[in-house]
Amino acid sequence: MPLSMPTPRRLLSLCLACAAIFPPFALTQTLARPGWVGSGITTDLWWKHAVIYQVNPANFNPNNGTSLHGVTQRLDYIHSLGTDAILLTPIQPDPAHAQAIDPALGTLDDLDDLIREASRRHIRVLLDLDPAIPNTDLPNVARFWLNRGIAGFHVTGTDDNAHAQAFTLRGATGSYLGERIVIADADPTLTPDLRQRTYRPSNPQFPQLVLDTRPGTSTTLNATIIRPAIETLQDILQAGHSLPLLATDGPTYKRSMSRYGDSQHDVAIAKLIATLLFTTRAESLLYYGQELGVRDATTPLINWEAPPEKNKSAPALETTTSPNAALEDANPDSLLNWYRQLSSLHHGNATLNSGSLITINRDDQNVLVMVRKPQTVSSISPVLVILLNLTAQPVPLSLKADITRLHLRGSFLRTVLRSDDNMGTMHLESMTLPPYTAYIGELHY
């Protein structure tokens, strides 16, 4: 017996029933990012090998419109850094109005425009949530923002409330396609054993990314502090599904340019910090303006327009004025373009993406030495060696014995990227690392 065609009224009823059953996020998935996982377009997890750019919309000075509109205006610039996602600091007016936007920052329409324009550039938008939002309200709050196209959340803190928020948000994001994620803060008090139990895949609270700020919060450039902190990143990786997300700057502590700068080697020191950020096994979190050397006391934070022609000979990065983005962009040796080169290497180099990390102790010389070893060492995929001289003096190094001890073959390093003006190879038996220099080289023999 042939099946009868549904009447228009019955067809309308079926459509309404489907709308009631399935949450209204089908259209917003593309706002999270084109090519989201689950669409059949890609199976890649976007948050692996990611660069996340954290912004406070209040710091953006738009040509016209609101602060959120100002972020939208700078998307091409943000995209040039190889950014995979933007993390917005809290935009809600208070915990009691967690499904609204502070009028001082903009409107929901402004956020929709930001998500839409970011999506066109293959950038997701993430949201910092106020930790004071009641956990009972959190599922509805999460769904509200996810349905608008937000791609995930950052949970602030490491106390019991933060763990409860992470658990709730993982449940909410897990029902959405497109790999919506949760970022949690690393707990510096955890022992390696507790870290493994906290971040293991069987734990339903595990976040996709664990934000670790320890390597960047020290007040001195000291290898005895930074090297052990980098080694603890391995604990998160070895624990299971979560990946470490490394930050050297953030909204709650002093900027690295103000912490480490000495008014003589500021750009060189900033390039060291950037190299550390992009060459460990962690993913990278940039804080708005650090790629330009923004300090704590600059107003405005960034000058976007080039100065008059007569002033173009001035340094691109000065200690008394705000950085100028146009000058930095035009200078191939600028801090901004150093960040861009490192971001490109971070995304494109397979050894940096998936190779193991070994540190060589040169703490007595205040030099950080990292070896990144690919799964299969060959002439096509050689070992990478990263050298960071954290001092204002040239440092002589000999790494031949260390490389041999690691059962690696090589006699010299072929330069991939270096922050100083020197050229040529570096010989393992004897090399000199100039003051405050970052060096990345391939191991060859």
Side-chain angles (χ1 to χ4, degrees):
M1 181 176 178
L3 295 174
S4 59
M5 293 295 292
T7 64
R9 177 176 295 179
R10 184 180 176 190
L11 189 59
L12 177 60
S13 298
L14 288 171
C15 291
L16 291 174
C18 290
I21 294 172
F22 297 103
F25 61 78
L27 293 178
T28 62
Q29 292 298 313
T30 56
L31 297 181
R33 181 176 175 183
W36 40 269
V37 173
S39 66
I41 299 175
T42 180
T43 58
D44 296 332
L45 300 175
W46 72 266
W47 45 273
K48 290 189 175 181
H49 323 307
V51 173
I52 299 177
Y53 192 74
Q54 186 175 21
V55 305
N56 181 351
N59 291 334
F60 281 76
N61 302 308
N63 295 329
N64 54 70
T66 65
S67 297
L68 282 172
H69 181 62
V71 180
T72 305
Q73 284 184 332
R74 303 303 175 191
L75 280 174
D76 286 338
Y77 168 83
I78 295 172
H79 182 260
S80 76
L81 293 165
T83 302
D84 296 282
I86 296 171
L87 173 60
L88 300 175
T89 57
I91 58 177
Q92 303 102 325
D94 55 67
H97 300 86
Q99 298 183 35
I101 292 178
D102 186 342
L105 300 178
T107 66
L108 286 172
D109 286 341
D110 293 329
L111 179 65
D112 291 342
D113 288 341
L114 171 59
I115 294 172
R116 186 178 302 108
E117 291 302 316
S119 178
R120 290 175 180 171
R121 294 164 176 82
H122 289 247
I123 298 173
R124 287 174 166 85
V125 178
L126 311 171
L127 188 59
D128 243 323
L129 288 180
D130 191 320
I133 297 173
N135 206 43
T136 53
D137 297 343
L138 206 55
N140 288 334
V141 171
R143 284 191 290 269
F144 174 83
W145 295 111
L146 291 167
N147 286 340
R148 297 204 82 90
I150 289 294
F153 305 100
H154 171 221
V155 178
T156 303
T158 58
D159 57 13
D160 290 342
N161 179 66
H163 286 300
Q165 283 193 330
F167 177 82
T168 301
L169 290 172
R170 284 294 287 125
T173 58
S175 63
Y176 282 73
L177 296 175
E179 279 298 313
R180 312 301 176 96
I181 68 165
V182 174
I183 303 171
D185 288 344
D187 187 346
T189 66
L190 294 179
T191 64
D193 179 63
L194 284 175
R195 280 193 201 100
Q196 292 197 24
R197 281 188 276 168
T198 300
Y199 304 131
R200 68 184 187 276
S202 58
N203 187 335
Q205 298 184 29
F206 76 88
Q208 284 91 342
L209 294 172
V210 179
L211 177 58
D212 197 323
T213 61
R214 285 170 292 175
T217 53
S218 61
T219 56
T220 59
L221 286 174
N222 194 319
T224 60
I225 298 173
I226 296 175
R227 182 183 55 80
I230 290 173
E231 290 174 347
T232 64
L233 298 173
Q234 304 279 69
D235 297 335
I236 298 173
L237 284 162
Q238 292 171 1
H241 193 80
S242 299
L243 297 179
L245 177 65
L246 185 64
T248 59
D249 289 68
T252 59
Y253 44 90
K254 198 173 183 180
R255 286 181 176 268
S256 59
M257 182 60 83
S258 296
R259 291 201 312 272
Y260 302 128
D262 63 359
S263 300
Q264 290 183 299
H265 308 93
D266 290 357
V267 175
I269 291 171
K271 288 182 177 181
L272 280 176
I273 301 303
T275 308
L276 173 68
L277 190 65
F278 283 100
T279 55
T280 71
R281 291 191 68 192
E283 315 314 321
S284 307
L285 177 70
L286 313 184
Y287 185 50
Y288 163 67
Q290 76 175 87
E291 75 283 355
L292 293 167
V294 165
R295 298 173 183 275
D296 288 307
T298 54
T299 304
L301 292 181
I302 295 173
N303 291 311
W304 293 100
E305 304 300 328
E309 192 72 28
K310 62 180 181 179
N311 292 329
K312 282 193 175 181
S313 60
L317 188 63
E318 301 175 359
T319 60
T320 58
T321 62
S322 303
N324 187 289
L327 290 181
E328 288 273 312
D329 181 64
N331 178 7
D333 296 323
S334 69
L335 178 60
L336 171 62
N337 283 313
W338 179 254
Y339 266 86
R340 288 169 172 165
Q341 291 178 78
L342 287 169
S343 179
S344 178
L345 194 65
H346 174 84
H347 281 109
N349 188 284
T351 300
L352 288 181
N353 284 342
S354 57
S356 61
L357 183 147
I358 306 164
T359 61
I360 295 175
N361 189 334
R362 286 293 185 274
D363 295 354
D364 58 333
Q365 296 176 288
N366 206 17
V367 173
L368 190 64
V369 181
M370 295 183 289
V371 176
R372 299 298 311 274
K373 180 183 176 183
Q375 294 180 353
T376 303
V377 179
S378 68
S379 58
I380 300 175
S381 57
V383 170
L384 290 181
V385 178
I386 297 99
L387 308 173
L388 303 180
N389 181 0
L390 307 181
T391 76
Q393 306 299 324
V395 175
L397 284 176
S398 177
L399 298 177
K400 181 63 178 177
D402 299 282
I403 295 299
T404 302
R405 193 178 304 115
L406 295 174
H407 306 289
L408 299 174
R409 296 179 61 193
S411 59
F412 68 93
L413 301 176
R414 180 178 295 163
T415 301
V416 175
L417 205 59
R418 64 186 304 163
S419 62
D420 64 337
D421 296 329
N422 292 344
M423 300 178 66
T425 60
M426 301 275 267
H427 293 276
L428 295 181
E429 290 282 7
S430 178
M431 65 179 78
T432 299
L433 203 58
Y436 292 121
T437 290
Y439 179 89
I440 304 172
E442 296 177 345
L443 180 62
H444 290 278
Y445 56 88

